[in-house]
Amino acid sequence: MSLRRKLTMALWLNAGLATLLLCLALIAVQSHQFRAQINERLTAVGDVAGANSAAAILFDDAKNAAQTLGALSTNRTVMAAGLYRKDGTLLAEYDRTRGDGFAPPKAAPPVGTQDSGAVFSVTRPVLLDGEVVGVICVVSGLQELYQDLLSYVAITVVTLVACTGLGMLVFLRLMRLLLVPIHALTQTARRVSSEKTYSIRARAGALDEVGELIGAFNEMLGEIELRDRELAGHRNNLEAVVGERTQELRLAKEKAEEGGRLKGEFLANMSHEIRTPINGIVGMTGLALATPLNAEQTEYLDAIRVSADSLEVVINDILDFSKIEAGRMDLDIVPYDLHEMVADTVKTLLVSAREKGIALYTRVDPGMARRIMGDPMRVRQILLNLLANALKFTPQGEVVLDVTPAGQQNEIPLVCFSVRDTGIGVPAGKLAAIFEPFLQVDGSVTRQYGGTGLGLSISTKLVGMMGGQLRVESELGKGSRFWFIVPAPLAVASALPEFHSLPEVVLASSKALRVLVAEDNLVNQRLTERLLQKMGHCVTATGDGAEAVAKWQAHQFDLVLMDVQMPVMGGFEATACIREHERITGNHIPIIALTAHAIRGDRERCMEAGMDDYVAKPIQVEALAAAIERASRSLVKENASL
Ligand SMILES: Nc1ncnc2c1ncn2[C@@H]1O[C@H](COP(=O)(O)OP(=O)(O)OP(=O)(O)O)[C@@H](O)[C@H]1O
Ligand SMILES: [Mg+2]
């Protein structure tokens, strides 16, 4: 609603209210005055008529009394009258309207005035020589009053309408004077808000409140314009600062990435440098143990093998831990057989449990699905850590592995793995600390039981990556229970289980192959050579990639085992060289990478370089045999297709 309309409405409302109040006041005053006058008149008429009728009442002369009352017909105010004896009974009456509602009452009313709104009556005593002989009641109507009031109201309304109309004309002229500058101000404000230009100003008005308002508005615009300019300046400045900081951050990020890359490289090199000699020690000890030895030599070699095995475990743990820390550990989610994985894991610990005289039980709930999705190698690693701990810290009693369904989360089934023992337990104060890397309950643990304190921290991280949490409850001297719950989505029916317990490998290969081995480390070279010979293959060994390529060109081979890091020419370059030559001949010799590199992406890099398979060092006889078996099968297929 516009301001003009609001003000007009206010004016009419005001005038209407004033009219109403004035009318009400006039009506009140007028009716009061009219009543006072009529009261006076009727009292006078009553007193005169009463005095004239006193003798008629005294002698109970109704006829005379009626005549006296009839004389009242000359007075137009009197509508009716009644004369009453001393006992209150009606002696005579006069009724001008003859039964039109003004007839006097049948019994004498009390002395005074009666006002019913339509009828007004006055009752007076009739005196004779100062003594009351009866009463007279004179009745009048109030129509006259109402007619007067009606005309008053009409006059008032007409006058007020005329006055308000005139006032309206004046008001509208004044309004124009007032509203024009306000309207201009509104237009300016609209432009400012739609165009966002703070440089325009409203036209200055007269020296009144509106003029003051326009002045203040213009001042405010000036202020905003100034701030706007300052803000734009700051923004430009800020953009420059942000640009600078972004550049700094980018440099810092690049530096951090470079650091991460160097760390990764260091990890790869360290794994290579440490695993290669371990490979040699483990393999050679195995070979030496298979030769005729005296009891003392067997004992020493057994000790060497045990030490090398535990050294390998430590190195693997440190590598896993570093990989997790560097965020380079990925889960390999595949369908697998849960029951088989559990049985297989426990199998590896049965011997040590038996040697210690501890009962090792496994209970897989029959309701637990067989084929589920997950990373079987990592679940196995966690279970091995927990079971190894349980066996290590339990001098007598039992260790129980329970695998049970644990409900659902977001419609995905959950599985709970729990390892309980009757061992030494963990003090309550140390329950949180044992999950920290390199922390054990106290220093004596290492001395008494060995270990680096990494198993639980690696397991905690792995369980976390799987979306669960590794938990513990333990009572000192009574035993402990470690458990975790992780999602176990059901594998789709068509998905083949990719995890198998290691098959019984036939070490003697089905077919004797001519194998070219490229390996710079002499101990490993010799070890590989021996292993292959034991499998029944014919071996040619070389010390670097270039020599291997030359030998491959000069002689016929069925298979190449290629180390990755070698002097003169590395495994990747040698493979590329061989594959390049093969493009002309159309042949394809299987090349199996032999590498101590153990970090993520190595397998992919080998495949990209043109190799066909991958065997990690330290060489596991079974893994090598399986890879050779696959290669010889592919050779058979190739020959058949030729
Ligand atoms: N089942 C258990 N009973 C009693 N104490 C345990 C048990 N499992 C773990 N602990 C305590 O927690 C510590 C940390 O365990 P963790 O597996 O991380 O290291 P570790 O077994 O000492 O060494 P690592 O696993 O690296 O060979 C252990 O040294 C031991 O004090
Ligand atoms: Mg452990």
Side-chain angles (χ1 to χ4, degrees):
M1 208 191 274
S2 70
L3 190 61
R4 184 195 173 94
R5 181 170 277 198
K6 277 186 206 158
L7 286 172
T8 314
M9 269 180 65
L11 184 78
W12 277 111
L13 201 69
N14 200 15
L17 271 175
T19 312
L20 188 71
L21 285 178
L22 190 65
C23 268
L24 289 177
L26 275 174
I27 288 168
V29 170
Q30 185 58 27
S31 50
H32 178 73
Q33 276 180 0
F34 185 88
R35 280 187 166 83
Q37 274 174 17
I38 207 163
N39 187 22
E40 209 173 286
R41 260 190 262 159
L42 292 185
T43 305
V45 168
D47 283 350
V48 171
N52 292 341
S53 316
I57 295 175
L58 194 64
F59 296 109
D60 203 29
D61 184 353
K63 197 175 163 205
N64 210 340
Q67 265 175 5
T68 315
L69 289 183
L72 291 175
S73 64
T74 52
N75 192 332
R76 296 202 61 79
T77 313
V78 179
M79 302 301 281
L83 200 58
Y84 302 89
R85 298 182 189 93
K86 201 174 181 178
D87 60 1
T89 51
L90 187 65
L91 176 64
E93 63 178 331
Y94 161 73
D95 187 356
R96 184 197 298 274
T97 55
R98 295 194 210 297
D100 208 7
F102 291 101
K106 293 289 166 230
V111 174
T113 53
Q114 280 85 40
D115 185 353
S116 72
V119 178
F120 191 92
S121 60
V122 172
T123 308
R124 301 288 301 166
V126 178
L127 303 172
L128 188 68
D129 297 334
E131 194 188 323
V132 179
V133 289
V135 290
I136 182 165
C137 170
V138 190
V139 181
S140 176
L142 289 171
Q143 280 91 340
E144 210 181 313
L145 166 69
Y146 294 137
Q147 272 163 10
D148 282 359
L149 287 183
L150 208 63
S151 50
Y152 274 129
V153 169
I155 290 165
T156 320
V157 169
V158 169
T159 316
L160 272 167
V161 168
C163 286
T164 314
L166 273 173
M168 198 67 198
L169 285 178
V170 178
F171 170 76
L172 287 178
R173 286 204 78 87
L174 276 174
M175 194 79 117
R176 200 165 302 146
L177 281 177
L178 189 74
L179 286 183
V180 165
I182 292 184
H183 184 68
L185 183 65
T186 315
Q187 293 289 346
T188 315
R190 277 201 195 122
R191 258 186 76 197
V192 169
S193 85
S194 65
E195 295 171 18
K196 305 273 179 275
T197 32
Y198 301 105
S199 54
I200 46 176
R201 297 285 180 273
R203 217 178 46 223
L207 288 174
D208 55 7
E209 283 89 340
V210 177
E212 220 171 280
L213 177 69
I214 294 172
F217 179 73
N218 283 342
E219 227 168 81
M220 196 178 72
L221 280 181
E223 196 83 2
I224 294 176
E225 193 186 2
L226 191 73
R227 298 252 171 102
D228 213 33
R229 232 178 283 142
E230 277 174 10
L231 215 62
H234 285 317
R235 200 174 42 224
N236 292 342
N237 197 18
L238 204 67
E239 266 166 26
V241 172
V242 168
E244 238 169 64
R245 295 274 154 84
T246 314
Q247 176 71 4
E248 276 170 24
L249 272 178
R250 205 166 50 77
L251 287 177
K253 185 174 161 263
E254 274 167 16
K255 239 187 209 169
E257 279 169 0
E258 174 69 5
R261 202 180 54 73
L262 288 177
K263 191 173 166 190
E265 242 166 53
F266 170 74
L267 271 179
N269 291 339
M270 191 185 83
S271 97
H272 184 267
E273 295 308 323
I274 300 177
R275 279 161 167 258
T276 306
I278 295 177
N279 183 25
I281 298 169
V282 172
M284 281 303 182
T285 314
L287 286 176
L289 278 167
T291 59
L293 299 167
N294 65 30
E296 195 181 359
Q297 286 166 331
T298 310
E299 192 191 331
Y300 293 160
L301 281 172
D302 267 338
I304 293 174
R305 197 182 53 188
V306 170
S307 304
D309 281 348
S310 44
L311 189 58
E312 200 188 325
V313 171
V314 171
I315 285 296
N316 282 343
D317 271 359
I318 291 178
L319 273 176
D320 274 347
F321 178 73
S322 320
K323 272 193 266 179
I324 292 174
E325 284 291 280
R328 292 167 70 111
M329 173 81 86
D330 275 339
L331 292 179
D332 188 13
I333 306 295
V334 293
Y336 73 99
D337 188 321
L338 175 73
H339 297 236
E340 206 173 300
M341 186 276 290
V342 170
D344 202 66
T345 307
V346 176
K347 214 192 288 174
T348 59
L349 294 164
L350 280 174
V351 178
S352 53
R354 203 173 305 139
E355 276 171 4
K356 253 190 117 173
I358 293 167
L360 173 57
Y361 301 115
T362 314
R363 288 191 303 228
V364 182
D365 191 300
M368 200 53 234
R370 271 196 97 85
R371 283 147 56 93
I372 59 167
M373 300 292 296
D375 187 335
M377 299 311 282
R378 296 300 174 191
V379 176
R380 183 190 158 104
Q381 185 179 353
I382 301 166
L383 292 182
L384 277 176
N385 272 331
L386 298 181
L387 287 167
N389 278 352
L391 289 174
K392 187 158 65 164
F393 298 109
T394 303
Q396 63 192 36
E398 58 179 33
V399 170
V400 184
L401 165 64
D402 269 307
V403 184
T404 47
Q408 291 199 334
Q409 190 180 45
N410 300 334
E411 294 181 11
I412 296 175
L414 300 171
V415 55
C416 174
F417 295 94
S418 149
V419 175
R420 187 176 55 71
D421 62 50
T422 54
I424 60 173
V426 183
K430 300 275 179 171
L431 280 175
I434 55 169
F435 294 101
E436 295 294 321
F438 305 109
L439 273 187
Q440 296 175 316
V441 166
D442 60 55
S444 66
V445 170
T446 324
R447 259 174 278 130
Q448 199 178 343
Y449 300 98
T452 49
L454 273 178
L456 283 183
S457 100
I458 292 173
S459 303
T460 304
K461 296 255 165 67
L462 288 176
V463 172
M465 284 169 71
M466 291 174 189
Q469 199 183 352
L470 183 57
R471 294 167 187 278
V472 62
E473 56 191 17
S474 183
E475 205 176 324
L476 204 57
K478 292 245 172 93
S480 319
R481 178 178 166 244
F482 287 81
W483 81 97
F484 61 97
I485 295 174
V486 287
L490 298 181
V492 279
S494 61
L496 283 171
E498 289 189 9
F499 181 86
H500 296 288
S501 55
L502 281 178
E504 287 296 311
V505 180
V506 189
L507 291 187
S509 177
S510 46
K511 184 170 176 274
L513 303 173
R514 289 161 295 177
V515 187
L516 174 63
V517 176
E519 164 68 80
D520 62 324
N521 184 299
L522 269 183
V523 179
N524 279 342
Q525 196 190 81
R526 212 150 151 63
L527 170 67
T528 317
E529 203 178 335
R530 281 290 169 80
L531 283 175
L532 290 168
Q533 281 166 350
K534 283 203 167 196
M535 290 176 196
H537 303 299
C538 183
V539 186
T540 306
T542 59
D544 65 73
E547 203 185 327
V549 174
K551 282 259 164 66
W552 170 76
Q553 278 173 326
H555 305 279
Q556 276 285 324
F557 290 102
D558 302 310
L559 175 68
V560 181
L561 294 188
M562 183 81 81
D563 188 14
V564 173
Q565 274 189 3
M566 286 182 290
V568 188
M569 185 188 270
F572 291 158
E573 292 95 315
T575 306
C577 216
I578 292 174
R579 295 292 179 234
E580 188 62 33
H581 278 90
E582 282 179 345
R583 285 223 310 213
I584 305 159
T585 60
N587 292 334
H588 182 94
I589 186 163
I591 302 178
I592 299 174
L594 279 184
T595 170
H597 283 225
I599 65 171
R600 190 176 65 185
D602 269 1
R603 172 180 282 274
E604 290 70 25
R605 243 176 282 155
C606 291
M607 298 302 146
E608 271 166 30
M611 295 170 165
D612 301 87
D613 213 332
Y614 168 103
V615 174
K617 291 184 198 170
I619 294 175
Q620 308 246 304
V621 187
E622 292 88 348
L624 179 65
I628 293 175
E629 200 56 31
R630 281 195 292 274
S632 78
R633 251 184 263 134
S634 78
L635 272 177
V636 172
K637 259 191 239 158
E638 224 168 84
N639 290 342
S641 65
L642 279 173

